[in-house]
Amino acid sequence: MREWCAPEHEPLLLAEGKGCVLRDQHGREYLDGNSSIWTNIHGHGHPVIHAAIKEQLDRVAHTSFLGFTHEPAIRLAKELVDFFPEGTLTRAFYSDDGSTAVECALRMALQFWRQNGCPERDTILAFDHAYHGDTLGAASTGGIPLFKGSGNDFGYRTLRVPDLDRLDALTRDEPRRLAAVILEPLIQGSAGMRLWPRGMLAALRQWCDRHDVLLILDEVMTGFGRTGMMFACEIEGVTPDLICLAKGLTGGLLPMAATLTTERVFEGFLGREKTFYYGHSYTASQLGCAAALASLRVFREERVLESLPGKTACFTSLLDGLRALPRVKEIRQCGMIAGIEIGPFDTALLTGAAVCLAARKHGLLTRPILDTLVLMPPLCVTSSELERMTRALKLALEEVCG
Ligand SMILES: *Cc1c(COP(=O)(O)O)cnc(C)c1O
């Protein structure tokens, strides 16, 4: 907070938004280059989602989900499970954000084995550089020391590996202690947009099947079209045992999350002593469900997924134009997600932050991960907006590193 509170620092107050454009307190306009921290899908102020929220607001904003239910939640659960092959993910559990969606998946996996004859399966396997959220339970699976804070292996055992090869090298007994493996499929976001090798996800699914270990996919960032498919797991034809959805679930308008799971896991919680004691006050907020249903409607009505191959190709060619710039080390892209790594710099110099600050003057808002610049526009982005975003980054890179 020292820099934030310094007299020369001018806080940016974002006041309005329309499509990919945000406006500050002085009326200056910026392109939302990271979808308001990876949440926004169809742009700001989308009329269909706004109308759905207003309509819901006039009925009721929120009612308890403890012991009750409501139509928007029922319809949303049905629409979410219908994205997956029949008889795979069939059940939805609501919570509030990405961290609680992960929290819930971890606790389900651990409790599932404890009360169904395998109490020795008490460990969660996670990958180096992983990020699964900031609550203690989710942070315990994180593999980025910077983001772990005090959340260091809280309350359950974790085992961390760098990659699939290390999984195959586990001793014979180690897999028998695993309740679940958790992974960000295809791309690790907070690690700086690190791509997994092609085929890794499908191979991991096979490994989990071989050892009867539950596979949790954290699609909090990758879900809802970012990678080119509705969910990243579809790209390798994989269905997990649990999937965590949040950020883009409501189109990025309201906080809301869902953890989907299989009939097998669901049935493991039937019975008096088997209750899943987990829930939050705002679970299945009616407004959030209405927004999520409207966002899915926009996907259908505007044929959003169909528009992505063209947009992604345009994004790729614009990113290619950045490759030759001074100090651009590597560009990593997965669908409409890109990480532009610059350097080598001493990370303490915060060069990535300096580039993003310079880009602000050229009308682009985004946030780096150390020295990786992130571009992840809302999916409604036009080719001219993509062009303006990459041009702003180019000018900023030349100013700071040139
Ligand atoms: C952002 C993120 C989370 C945490 O979500 P919050 O809504 O910020 O709690 C978890 N996993 C991944 C992959 C994320 O990108």
Side-chain angles (χ1 to χ4, degrees), residues 14 35 40 72 116 133 138 156 169 187-188 201 221 283 291 294 316 344 352 358:
L14 296 172
S35 297
N40 193 284
N116 289 285
Y156 60 92
I187 178 166
Q188 289 181 315
L201 177 58
M221 176 188 79
T283 284
T316 306

Side-chain angles (χ1 to χ4, degrees), residues 7 46 68 86 124 197 210 222 242 262 320 402:
H46 196 292
F68 309 109
E86 214 182 317
I124 302 286
R210 211 155 52 239
T222 52
L242 298 117
T262 59
D320 272 338

Side-chain angles (χ1 to χ4, degrees), residues 37-39 96-102 131-135 138 184 187-190 218-222 244 246-247 256:
I37 204 69
W38 318 353
T39 56
D96 309 333
D97 51 51
S99 306
T100 54
V102 167
Y131 178 76
H132 298 294
D134 283 345
T135 57
E184 293 158 86
I187 178 166
Q188 289 181 315
S190 300
D218 176 353
E219 293 231 26
V220 171
M221 176 188 79
T222 52
C244 308
K247 289 191 171 110
M256 157 130 213

